Amino acid sequence: MAAVDDFPALVPHHFLTPPPLQDELTTQTSEAQQKTLEECLPLLRAAGDPTRSPFDFNEFGLPELRKEDHIDFLHENLSVFPAPYVGLDASRPWLVYWGLMALYFLGEDVMPMRERVMSTFYPLQNRSGGFGGGHGHDSHLATTYGALLSIALAGGESAYRMIDRRAMWHWLGRLKQADGAFQISEGGEKDTRGAYCALIVISLLSLPIELPPDSPARDAGLKTFNDRLGTYISRCQTYEGGISGTPGNEAHGAYVFCALGCLCLLGPPDKTLRRYLDLDALIYWMSSRQYAPEGGLAGRTNKLVDGCYSHWLGNCWPLVQAALSGSSSNDGHGVNPGAGDLYSSEGLARYIICCCQATPGGLRDKPSKRPDSYHTCYTLSGLSTTKHFHYYQASDEISQFDSAFSWRVAEKRTSHSESNPAAFDDGTDVKPMHPVFAIPHHSVEGLRQWSGQQPW
């Protein structure tokens, strides 16, 4: 293996060598971590030995993002699956969302797929409200979320009109619980995932914030979908600082994103995150989830890096950073796209581009895993966040959920000079998304504007 001195000058040392401190206690966890390290290091160091790699590397020691290969992989994943994939039948909305969103990140226009999206979701919408995961399946908040975001991506009034907003409102009312949480389905579990999905649906479809008259939560004195929700999320923050799905359980990266997304829907992040969370403890826990030299993110304490947390945890950082910096003025005054991040965006980009790209196409959890549309979407989401600066802009509106639509994005400014040797540019052109809704800004606005114009 090439010596560290042979690498491009702009590759930081800590992305090329094992950590200096090693725990001598051998456990199943430490053995898995060592195996992962051995998988990743040759890929992170490949720029130092071009004879061992078929790829071209830039000045930062990174291979190119092979967009065309990944686009072909995604189109294949949006086609008809063979019979052995029957286990994915309950995940149809997710498969569509992951494929469409990943194609968008890579610069593809997904609107020509509108008819395919509509034909997929017409049979999945139930008269009682919401979407199931497959034909004849009960409505579920996670699959309703996936279906709604897919429809927003496809865009157009013909797609929007297929959504039964009134039935959705009544169904969500039946899911609202007395403690402020939401069940994920009627009679199902309740967790922060369900709360996030519910608020995304309510805000995008401009549904009344008041609970329907037949909502069981009204018997407990609740009047709106937002009642007691912030307090419920507060109870989900653990002693470590992270956030769990339900009070008393282990902190998990995906639930952190769902909880922060909820709070950013309830109000400005600098107010809601500070009101309901111990922000210092959360930042400590989030910071501890990024490893070196891999650069990737792990979803829980003592777990391995996984490409999907590039989204679930990587996209928590813009929300937290907005809570710390506060709102900009309406004219964008105070925005600094050149400001540094609280996490290593360079490390995350290195992990995604070097370790998560599979041959011939698609992206994966880690080098030993196979690619799939789930990891392809969420690694590209994380890569997008490393390239774009998200900020919250104060709004003059006073309508419900106006805070959710007050996010703006700018390209990060990077430059290299002797005075700024740590500046980093991965050379990719991955499109930005809305940090709360996880779809493009124009898709958010399109569905929101249409919904707001509909009679109730």
Side-chain angles (χ1 to χ4, degrees), residues 15 20 52 104 113 116 124 172 185 246 297 300 304 362 382:
F15 295 128
R52 300 183 59 180
Y104 160 77
M113 298 187 190
R116 291 174 60 188
L124 305 188
L172 291 170
S185 60
T246 54
L297 305 175
R300 291 180 285 164
L304 305 175

Side-chain angles (χ1 to χ4, degrees), residues 329-390:
S329 61
N330 286 329
D331 60 2
H333 180 72
V335 172
N336 181 13
D341 292 306
L342 292 176
Y343 71 109
S344 174
S345 55
E346 175 177 351
L348 183 56
R350 287 188 181 282
Y351 179 71
I352 294 168
I353 299 174
C354 293
C355 301
C356 294
Q357 292 195 88
T359 303
L363 290 101
R364 58 199 176 190
D365 163 353
K366 56 178 65 69
S368 59
K369 303 294 184 179
R370 297 179 63 180
D372 54 57
S373 57
Y374 168 82
H375 285 92
T376 301
C377 176
Y378 287 144
T379 51
L380 291 174
S381 173
L383 190 59
S384 173
T385 297
T386 68
K387 291 189 63 63
H388 297 99
F389 177 78
H390 300 276

Side-chain angles (χ1 to χ4, degrees), residues 250-257 285-286 289-291 295-301 303-318 343 348 351-352 356 364-366 374-383 385-386:
E250 182 183 11
H252 188 289
Y255 291 126
V256 173
F257 176 79
W285 184 88
M286 288 171 55
R289 303 284 73 76
Q290 187 166 27
Y291 300 166
L297 305 175
R300 291 180 285 164
T301 303
K303 293 296 182 180
L304 305 175
V305 293
D306 182 336
C308 72
Y309 292 107
S310 305
H311 167 75
W312 295 119
L313 269 173
N315 283 300
C316 291
W317 283 113
Y343 71 109
L348 183 56
Y351 179 71
I352 294 168
C356 294
R364 58 199 176 190
D365 163 353
K366 56 178 65 69
Y374 168 82
H375 285 92
T376 301
C377 176
Y378 287 144
T379 51
L380 291 174
S381 173
L383 190 59
T385 297
T386 68

